[in-house]
């Protein structure tokens, strides 16, 4: 019996020792585990690098155009929910010829500089006035002429700029019309109020309701709005300023600007610019190569 008890004690002791050794060994990381972690870290770094390359490649294969979606006929949201417009059709054709995917990116007009500098868009192409902004962007050559005008009610009694004395005039925030009015100190002082609105759809509704007396804006857009709305609005013969439209890129982005300019000139030469213009305006209003 003693011998059996001694053997039992010896067996239990041995098992305890083995158990203790096993627990200690499992607690310490093996070289194989370290190697696996190192390999995994390497794979993660490689994946991150691949993702960055993929993002860069994707950026190079797209042409993202910033535009105001409430600025017909240059760029706007149609009734079917699609983005369309004269400028967007030109931009889409340029993107196709460059072998890039066209992306129409609506932006708040007063945030356009932030959108461009952050890289969210490649350019601003939306009835974008070059005049007064020549040194702020890298531009294509002008592709269209424009002027800033006043739209008033047909029976408002306003026939000339002098009739705007004591009147409320509305403009889009950060627009060329706002800039032109603020630079014309003599005219600005005669107005009762110069107020801003986010977009011209709101401006026309304000004009229809009598909340404002006149809207200052681009003549090409004013004519289109009047035709589409079938409203009793007229454009004053006296204009506020003459200007030109261009495609604006981030300052220093000459490479992309040159690519776009080359395609615009090719489109003018083969009649594509004329064709797109006639679809929107019934005539060729472009000035590329002329």
């Amino acid at each position: 019996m003693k011998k059996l008890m001694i053997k039992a004690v010896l067996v239990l002791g041995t098992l305890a020792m083995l158990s203790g050794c096993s627990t200690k060994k499992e607690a310490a990381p093996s070289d194989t585990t370290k190697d696996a972690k190192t390999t995994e870290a390497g794979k993660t770094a490689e994946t991150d690098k691949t993702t960055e390359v993929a993002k860069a490649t994707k950026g190079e294969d797209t042409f993202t155009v910033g535009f105001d979606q409430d600025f017909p006929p240059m760029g706007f949201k149609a009734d079917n929910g699609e983005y369309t417009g004269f400028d967007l059709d030109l931009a889409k054709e340029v993107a196709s010829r460059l072998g890039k995917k066209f992306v129409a990116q609506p932006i708040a007009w007063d945030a356009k500089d932030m959108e461009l500098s952050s890289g969210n868009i490649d350019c601003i192409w939306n009835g974008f006035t070059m005049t007064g902004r020549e040194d702020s962007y890298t531009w294509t050559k002008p592709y269209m002429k424009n002027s800033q005008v006043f739209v008033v009610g047909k029976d408002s009694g306003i026939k000339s700029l002098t009739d705007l004395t004591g009147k409320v005039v509305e403009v889009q925030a950060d627009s060329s019309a706002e800039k032109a009015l603020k630079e014309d100190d003599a005219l600005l002082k005669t107005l009762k109020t110069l107020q801003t609105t986010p977009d011209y759809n709101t401006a026309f509704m304000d004009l229809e309701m009598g909340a404002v007396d006149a809207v200052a804006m681009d003549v090409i857009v004013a004519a289109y709005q009047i035709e589409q709305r079938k409203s009793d609005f007229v454009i004053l013969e006296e204009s506020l300023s003459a200007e030109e439209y261009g495609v604006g890129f981030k300052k220093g982005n000459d490479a992309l600007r040159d690519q776009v300019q080359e395609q615009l000139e090719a489109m003018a030469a083969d009649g594509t610019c004329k064709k797109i213009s006639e679809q929107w305006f019934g005539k060729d209003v472009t000035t590329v190569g002329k």
Side-chain angles (χ1 to χ4, degrees):
M1 180 65 68
K2 288 183 179 179
K3 289 182 178 179
L4 289 173
M5 290 179 65
I6 292 170
K7 287 183 178 180
V9 171
L10 290 173
V11 170
L12 288 173
T14 303
L15 288 174
M17 290 176 64
L18 290 173
S19 177
C21 291
S22 177
T23 302
K24 186 176 181 181
K25 189 173 183 180
E26 289 174 0
S30 66
D31 292 341
T32 303
T33 304
K34 290 179 181 178
D35 292 342
K37 289 182 177 179
T38 303
T39 303
E40 187 63 31
K43 287 182 178 179
T44 301
E46 185 177 351
T47 300
D48 291 343
K49 185 176 181 180
T50 303
T51 301
E52 291 178 5
V53 172
K55 287 180 179 179
T57 303
K58 182 179 178 181
E60 292 174 357
D61 290 337
T62 59
F63 182 50
T64 304
V65 172
F67 73 104
D68 176 0
Q69 67 176 10
D70 295 308
F71 201 59
M74 314 311 283
F76 62 102
K77 192 173 187 178
D79 293 337
N80 63 3
E82 298 292 327
Y83 295 125
T84 186
F86 170 65
D87 278 343
L88 293 188
D89 279 354
L90 285 178
K92 187 184 298 183
E93 177 64 22
V94 167
S96 176
R97 295 186 180 212
L98 290 175
K100 296 177 179 287
K101 178 183 177 181
F102 174 69
V103 179
Q105 179 61 55
I107 58 175
W109 194 245
D110 57 357
K112 59 185 177 296
D113 291 344
M114 179 192 70
E115 297 282 358
L116 190 61
S117 62
S118 67
N120 289 338
I121 58 176
D122 293 315
C123 67
I124 302 169
W125 196 337
N126 189 217
F128 196 25
T129 300
M130 301 174 67
T131 311
R133 298 186 176 112
E134 290 88 348
D135 298 328
S136 300
Y137 306 87
T138 289
W139 294 96
T140 61
K141 294 178 182 178
Y143 66 90
M144 187 175 174
K145 290 184 178 180
N146 182 55
S147 61
Q148 295 298 324
V149 297
F150 291 94
V151 178
V152 299
K154 186 176 181 180
D155 300 322
S156 66
I158 302 175
K159 305 296 182 183
S160 65
L161 298 188
T162 56
D163 294 330
L164 291 172
T165 300
K167 304 298 183 183
V168 177
V169 176
E170 192 163 67
V171 295
Q172 184 181 38
D174 200 34
S175 65
S176 296
E178 181 184 22
K179 186 174 186 298
L181 268 171
K182 287 184 175 180
E183 289 179 348
D184 191 337
D185 192 55
L187 177 59
L188 184 61
K189 286 180 178 179
T190 67
L191 304 181
K192 179 181 180 180
T193 308
L194 174 63
Q195 62 187 50
T196 62
T197 184
D199 57 77
Y200 281 116
N201 282 334
T202 303
F204 269 93
M205 286 190 288
D206 289 343
L207 189 59
E208 286 173 344
M209 294 186 298
V212 301
D213 300 299
V215 175
M217 61 188 302
D218 302 62
V219 66
I220 198 74
V221 179
Y224 184 86
Q225 286 272 18
I226 292 171
E227 173 63 26
Q228 294 298 308
R229 291 172 179 272
K230 306 298 181 185
S231 302
D232 290 329
F233 297 142
V234 294
I235 299 172
L236 298 186
E237 289 186 9
E238 292 179 82
S239 63
L240 180 59
S241 64
E243 56 191 35
E244 293 179 306
Y245 286 158
V247 184
F249 298 81
K250 184 177 180 180
K251 192 73 173 177
N253 191 0
D254 294 39
L256 185 55
R257 185 275 312 276
D258 291 345
Q259 292 178 38
V260 171
Q261 182 63 46
E262 181 181 3
Q263 296 308 319
L264 279 175
E265 291 176 4
M267 288 162 59
D270 64 24
T272 302
C273 285
K274 180 176 181 290
K275 180 180 178 181
I276 294 175
S277 180
E278 288 175 343
Q279 290 172 349
W280 283 99
F281 305 110
K283 59 182 179 180
D284 186 11
V285 300
T286 62
T287 58
V288 182
K290 298 176 183 178

